[in-house]
Amino acid sequence: MVGTDRYPLTEPGSPAWQEVVANARAELAAFGCHVLADFIRPELHEALRAECAQLEAYTYAKIEKVNAYNTAIGEPLPEDHPGRTIMERGNAFVARDRIPASSIISKLYTSPLFQRFVAGCFGLPVLHELADPLAGLTLNVIAPGRAHPWHFDTNSYTVSLLTQAAGEGGIFEYCPNIRSAADENFPAVRAVLREDGTHPVHRLRLRPGDLQLFQGRFALHRVTKVGGGIARHSAIFAYSERPGVIGSAERTRQLFGRVLPAHLLGRPDRGDELLD
């Protein structure tokens, strides 16, 4: 599946592997994001697109009013809290339990070689698949006329693979390291949400087959409105430093329209005290 001439996943620890990993670490340290172009071999791009396009029928598509933290709307917050900024979330997700184990994206997500490579790029000894039965591996679908508004990720280390580009728009925008595990940095988040131009925003146009490594727990990010008659599809591979991570019931309902018993056991342990 992978262009191993450029990305030697099958040779962990080799000089070539270490060079690719070192480049990724440097980019992530500087920008909180790194793209590996044509990670999936070009001759498989159409098969990848077709597999994921077939999954679109399983999306949970409901226009939601959300804030950047995906917490319940209406909770009491201070007057100037960025959580008071309400946006329309128009993207839809295919849950993990709808994605066949035989698919390209499922084989990649569960591959020990891929996981070791991703962990190396993030400078970690190991990464764990999410224990969440609906999240972890998902397909994000943004139909024409819709967008995925500003938000933070539940997981610290996100990997995404564009499988189908939008006809128009669908640009990934992000603010790296806008918050930390110790500081929500509400003033900067508020400035981005108000679009007052006082906080820098990075913009990235991805191509099908490109793999994106991203520190989404600490970076405010969005995908702009899609146009041109073709939906934007991206596979989301979510990993965590600690095992057992499960999404909150509130956020799970927002994303998938349903919850399972695992989501009702209390607030997930994220390893920090940030808003979800």
PDB file of all heavy atoms in Angstrom, residues 188-206:
ATOM      1  N   ALA A 188      -6.225  33.847  22.843  1.00  0.00           N
ATOM      2  CA  ALA A 188      -5.804  33.543  21.470  1.00  0.00           C
ATOM      3  C   ALA A 188      -6.889  32.768  20.727  1.00  0.00           C
ATOM      4  O   ALA A 188      -7.158  33.025  19.547  1.00  0.00           O
ATOM      5  CB  ALA A 188      -4.493  32.757  21.478  1.00  0.00           C
ATOM      6  N   VAL A 189      -7.507  31.809  21.405  1.00  0.00           N
ATOM      7  CA  VAL A 189      -8.589  31.048  20.773  1.00  0.00           C
ATOM      8  C   VAL A 189      -9.729  31.980  20.399  1.00  0.00           C
ATOM      9  O   VAL A 189     -10.286  31.906  19.290  1.00  0.00           O
ATOM     10  CB  VAL A 189      -9.081  29.932  21.716  1.00  0.00           C
ATOM     11  CG1 VAL A 189     -10.305  29.227  21.126  1.00  0.00           C
ATOM     12  CG2 VAL A 189      -7.970  28.921  21.981  1.00  0.00           C
ATOM     13  N   ARG A 190     -10.078  32.869  21.301  1.00  0.00           N
ATOM     14  CA  ARG A 190     -11.150  33.830  21.033  1.00  0.00           C
ATOM     15  C   ARG A 190     -10.821  34.704  19.821  1.00  0.00           C
ATOM     16  O   ARG A 190     -11.684  34.977  18.977  1.00  0.00           O
ATOM     17  CB  ARG A 190     -11.384  34.697  22.283  1.00  0.00           C
ATOM     18  CG  ARG A 190     -12.574  35.634  22.176  1.00  0.00           C
ATOM     19  CD  ARG A 190     -12.936  36.207  23.546  1.00  0.00           C
ATOM     20  NE  ARG A 190     -11.803  36.893  24.173  1.00  0.00           N
ATOM     21  CZ  ARG A 190     -11.224  36.465  25.303  1.00  0.00           C
ATOM     22  NH1 ARG A 190     -11.640  35.380  25.912  1.00  0.00           N
ATOM     23  NH2 ARG A 190     -10.209  37.142  25.818  1.00  0.00           N
ATOM     24  N   ALA A 191      -9.555  35.112  19.701  1.00  0.00           N
ATOM     25  CA  ALA A 191      -9.151  35.951  18.569  1.00  0.00           C
ATOM     26  C   ALA A 191      -9.323  35.221  17.240  1.00  0.00           C
ATOM     27  O   ALA A 191      -9.768  35.814  16.245  1.00  0.00           O
ATOM     28  CB  ALA A 191      -7.699  36.395  18.741  1.00  0.00           C
ATOM     29  N   VAL A 192      -8.978  33.940  17.194  1.00  0.00           N
ATOM     30  CA  VAL A 192      -9.140  33.167  15.955  1.00  0.00           C
ATOM     31  C   VAL A 192     -10.613  33.018  15.616  1.00  0.00           C
ATOM     32  O   VAL A 192     -11.028  33.197  14.463  1.00  0.00           O
ATOM     33  CB  VAL A 192      -8.475  31.785  16.090  1.00  0.00           C
ATOM     34  CG1 VAL A 192      -8.775  30.924  14.856  1.00  0.00           C
ATOM     35  CG2 VAL A 192      -6.970  31.931  16.262  1.00  0.00           C
ATOM     36  N   LEU A 193     -11.431  32.696  16.611  1.00  0.00           N
ATOM     37  CA  LEU A 193     -12.856  32.504  16.364  1.00  0.00           C
ATOM     38  C   LEU A 193     -13.531  33.786  15.891  1.00  0.00           C
ATOM     39  O   LEU A 193     -14.475  33.739  15.093  1.00  0.00           O
ATOM     40  CB  LEU A 193     -13.546  31.985  17.631  1.00  0.00           C
ATOM     41  CG  LEU A 193     -13.059  30.624  18.153  1.00  0.00           C
ATOM     42  CD1 LEU A 193     -13.824  30.230  19.403  1.00  0.00           C
ATOM     43  CD2 LEU A 193     -13.202  29.552  17.092  1.00  0.00           C
ATOM     44  N   ARG A 194     -13.025  34.913  16.351  1.00  0.00           N
ATOM     45  CA  ARG A 194     -13.577  36.204  15.917  1.00  0.00           C
ATOM     46  C   ARG A 194     -13.015  36.661  14.576  1.00  0.00           C
ATOM     47  O   ARG A 194     -13.478  37.653  14.009  1.00  0.00           O
ATOM     48  CB  ARG A 194     -13.303  37.273  16.979  1.00  0.00           C
ATOM     49  CG  ARG A 194     -14.098  37.069  18.271  1.00  0.00           C
ATOM     50  CD  ARG A 194     -13.735  38.111  19.318  1.00  0.00           C
ATOM     51  NE  ARG A 194     -14.561  37.962  20.519  1.00  0.00           N
ATOM     52  CZ  ARG A 194     -14.383  38.671  21.637  1.00  0.00           C
ATOM     53  NH1 ARG A 194     -13.395  39.565  21.703  1.00  0.00           N
ATOM     54  NH2 ARG A 194     -15.177  38.484  22.671  1.00  0.00           N
ATOM     55  N   GLU A 195     -11.982  35.944  14.101  1.00  0.00           N
ATOM     56  CA  GLU A 195     -11.337  36.273  12.822  1.00  0.00           C
ATOM     57  C   GLU A 195     -10.914  37.739  12.768  1.00  0.00           C
ATOM     58  O   GLU A 195     -11.108  38.432  11.771  1.00  0.00           O
ATOM     59  CB  GLU A 195     -12.264  35.935  11.654  1.00  0.00           C
ATOM     60  CG  GLU A 195     -12.634  34.459  11.586  1.00  0.00           C
ATOM     61  CD  GLU A 195     -13.443  34.089  10.360  1.00  0.00           C
ATOM     62  OE1 GLU A 195     -13.779  34.994   9.571  1.00  0.00           O
ATOM     63  OE2 GLU A 195     -13.730  32.890  10.191  1.00  0.00           O
ATOM     64  N   ASP A 196     -10.268  38.171  13.857  1.00  0.00           N
ATOM     65  CA  ASP A 196      -9.830  39.573  13.911  1.00  0.00           C
ATOM     66  C   ASP A 196      -8.422  39.779  13.359  1.00  0.00           C
ATOM     67  O   ASP A 196      -7.903  40.902  13.359  1.00  0.00           O
ATOM     68  CB  ASP A 196      -9.928  40.113  15.341  1.00  0.00           C
ATOM     69  CG  ASP A 196      -9.013  39.390  16.334  1.00  0.00           C
ATOM     70  OD1 ASP A 196      -8.141  38.606  15.899  1.00  0.00           O
ATOM     71  OD2 ASP A 196      -9.163  39.623  17.550  1.00  0.00           O
ATOM     72  N   GLY A 197      -7.767  38.689  12.905  1.00  0.00           N
ATOM     73  CA  GLY A 197      -6.465  38.817  12.263  1.00  0.00           C
ATOM     74  C   GLY A 197      -5.294  38.969  13.193  1.00  0.00           C
ATOM     75  O   GLY A 197      -4.156  39.153  12.735  1.00  0.00           O
ATOM     76  N   THR A 198      -5.503  38.846  14.498  1.00  0.00           N
ATOM     77  CA  THR A 198      -4.400  39.057  15.441  1.00  0.00           C
ATOM     78  C   THR A 198      -3.632  37.773  15.751  1.00  0.00           C
ATOM     79  O   THR A 198      -2.575  37.835  16.359  1.00  0.00           O
ATOM     80  CB  THR A 198      -4.921  39.655  16.761  1.00  0.00           C
ATOM     81  OG1 THR A 198      -5.868  38.740  17.348  1.00  0.00           O
ATOM     82  CG2 THR A 198      -5.598  40.998  16.513  1.00  0.00           C
ATOM     83  N   HIS A 199      -4.145  36.626  15.328  1.00  0.00           N
ATOM     84  CA  HIS A 199      -3.428  35.368  15.553  1.00  0.00           C
ATOM     85  C   HIS A 199      -3.203  34.682  14.215  1.00  0.00           C
ATOM     86  O   HIS A 199      -4.131  34.562  13.410  1.00  0.00           O
ATOM     87  CB  HIS A 199      -4.214  34.451  16.496  1.00  0.00           C
ATOM     88  CG  HIS A 199      -3.399  33.292  16.991  1.00  0.00           C
ATOM     89  ND1 HIS A 199      -2.647  33.339  18.135  1.00  0.00           N
ATOM     90  CD2 HIS A 199      -3.171  32.068  16.463  1.00  0.00           C
ATOM     91  CE1 HIS A 199      -2.018  32.191  18.313  1.00  0.00           C
ATOM     92  NE2 HIS A 199      -2.315  31.401  17.300  1.00  0.00           N
ATOM     93  N   PRO A 200      -1.969  34.239  13.932  1.00  0.00           N
ATOM     94  CA  PRO A 200      -1.686  33.633  12.625  1.00  0.00           C
ATOM     95  C   PRO A 200      -2.421  32.314  12.417  1.00  0.00           C
ATOM     96  O   PRO A 200      -2.575  31.517  13.344  1.00  0.00           O
ATOM     97  CB  PRO A 200      -0.163  33.420  12.649  1.00  0.00           C
ATOM     98  CG  PRO A 200       0.186  33.358  14.107  1.00  0.00           C
ATOM     99  CD  PRO A 200      -0.766  34.281  14.796  1.00  0.00           C
ATOM    100  N   VAL A 201      -2.845  32.089  11.180  1.00  0.00           N
ATOM    101  CA  VAL A 201      -3.526  30.861  10.788  1.00  0.00           C
ATOM    102  C   VAL A 201      -2.756  30.246   9.616  1.00  0.00           C
ATOM    103  O   VAL A 201      -2.513  30.917   8.607  1.00  0.00           O
ATOM    104  CB  VAL A 201      -4.989  31.134  10.376  1.00  0.00           C
ATOM    105  CG1 VAL A 201      -5.640  29.854   9.840  1.00  0.00           C
ATOM    106  CG2 VAL A 201      -5.785  31.694  11.558  1.00  0.00           C
ATOM    107  N   HIS A 202      -2.367  28.982   9.740  1.00  0.00           N
ATOM    108  CA  HIS A 202      -1.679  28.267   8.666  1.00  0.00           C
ATOM    109  C   HIS A 202      -2.710  27.599   7.760  1.00  0.00           C
ATOM    110  O   HIS A 202      -3.736  27.109   8.237  1.00  0.00           O
ATOM    111  CB  HIS A 202      -0.739  27.204   9.245  1.00  0.00           C
ATOM    112  CG  HIS A 202       0.366  27.755  10.084  1.00  0.00           C
ATOM    113  ND1 HIS A 202       1.685  27.724   9.694  1.00  0.00           N
ATOM    114  CD2 HIS A 202       0.365  28.350  11.300  1.00  0.00           C
ATOM    115  CE1 HIS A 202       2.447  28.268  10.630  1.00  0.00           C
ATOM    116  NE2 HIS A 202       1.664  28.659  11.617  1.00  0.00           N
ATOM    117  N   ARG A 203      -2.429  27.554   6.460  1.00  0.00           N
ATOM    118  CA  ARG A 203      -3.340  26.941   5.491  1.00  0.00           C
ATOM    119  C   ARG A 203      -2.613  25.867   4.703  1.00  0.00           C
ATOM    120  O   ARG A 203      -1.462  26.035   4.333  1.00  0.00           O
ATOM    121  CB  ARG A 203      -3.908  28.003   4.550  1.00  0.00           C
ATOM    122  CG  ARG A 203      -4.822  28.986   5.269  1.00  0.00           C
ATOM    123  CD  ARG A 203      -5.243  30.163   4.401  1.00  0.00           C
ATOM    124  NE  ARG A 203      -6.200  30.995   5.128  1.00  0.00           N
ATOM    125  CZ  ARG A 203      -5.853  31.936   5.998  1.00  0.00           C
ATOM    126  NH1 ARG A 203      -4.563  32.153   6.258  1.00  0.00           N
ATOM    127  NH2 ARG A 203      -6.779  32.647   6.625  1.00  0.00           N
ATOM    128  N   LEU A 204      -3.310  24.761   4.459  1.00  0.00           N
ATOM    129  CA  LEU A 204      -2.688  23.601   3.847  1.00  0.00           C
ATOM    130  C   LEU A 204      -3.661  22.950   2.866  1.00  0.00           C
ATOM    131  O   LEU A 204      -4.787  22.608   3.229  1.00  0.00           O
ATOM    132  CB  LEU A 204      -2.310  22.592   4.941  1.00  0.00           C
ATOM    133  CG  LEU A 204      -1.609  21.306   4.534  1.00  0.00           C
ATOM    134  CD1 LEU A 204      -0.256  21.611   3.903  1.00  0.00           C
ATOM    135  CD2 LEU A 204      -1.434  20.407   5.751  1.00  0.00           C
ATOM    136  N   ARG A 205      -3.230  22.795   1.615  1.00  0.00           N
ATOM    137  CA  ARG A 205      -4.040  22.103   0.620  1.00  0.00           C
ATOM    138  C   ARG A 205      -3.448  20.705   0.403  1.00  0.00           C
ATOM    139  O   ARG A 205      -2.338  20.560  -0.110  1.00  0.00           O
ATOM    140  CB  ARG A 205      -4.075  22.871  -0.710  1.00  0.00           C
ATOM    141  CG  ARG A 205      -5.016  22.247  -1.739  1.00  0.00           C
ATOM    142  CD  ARG A 205      -5.011  23.025  -3.045  1.00  0.00           C
ATOM    143  NE  ARG A 205      -5.603  24.334  -2.901  1.00  0.00           N
ATOM    144  CZ  ARG A 205      -6.920  24.570  -2.978  1.00  0.00           C
ATOM    145  NH1 ARG A 205      -7.755  23.571  -3.188  1.00  0.00           N
ATOM    146  NH2 ARG A 205      -7.391  25.793  -2.854  1.00  0.00           N
ATOM    147  N   LEU A 206      -4.181  19.691   0.805  1.00  0.00           N
ATOM    148  CA  LEU A 206      -3.738  18.308   0.703  1.00  0.00           C
ATOM    149  C   LEU A 206      -4.201  17.679  -0.607  1.00  0.00           C
ATOM    150  O   LEU A 206      -5.174  18.123  -1.219  1.00  0.00           O
ATOM    151  CB  LEU A 206      -4.279  17.506   1.884  1.00  0.00           C
ATOM    152  CG  LEU A 206      -3.785  17.949   3.262  1.00  0.00           C
ATOM    153  CD1 LEU A 206      -4.697  17.419   4.358  1.00  0.00           C
ATOM    154  CD2 LEU A 206      -2.354  17.506   3.493  1.00  0.00           C
TER     155      LEU A 206
END
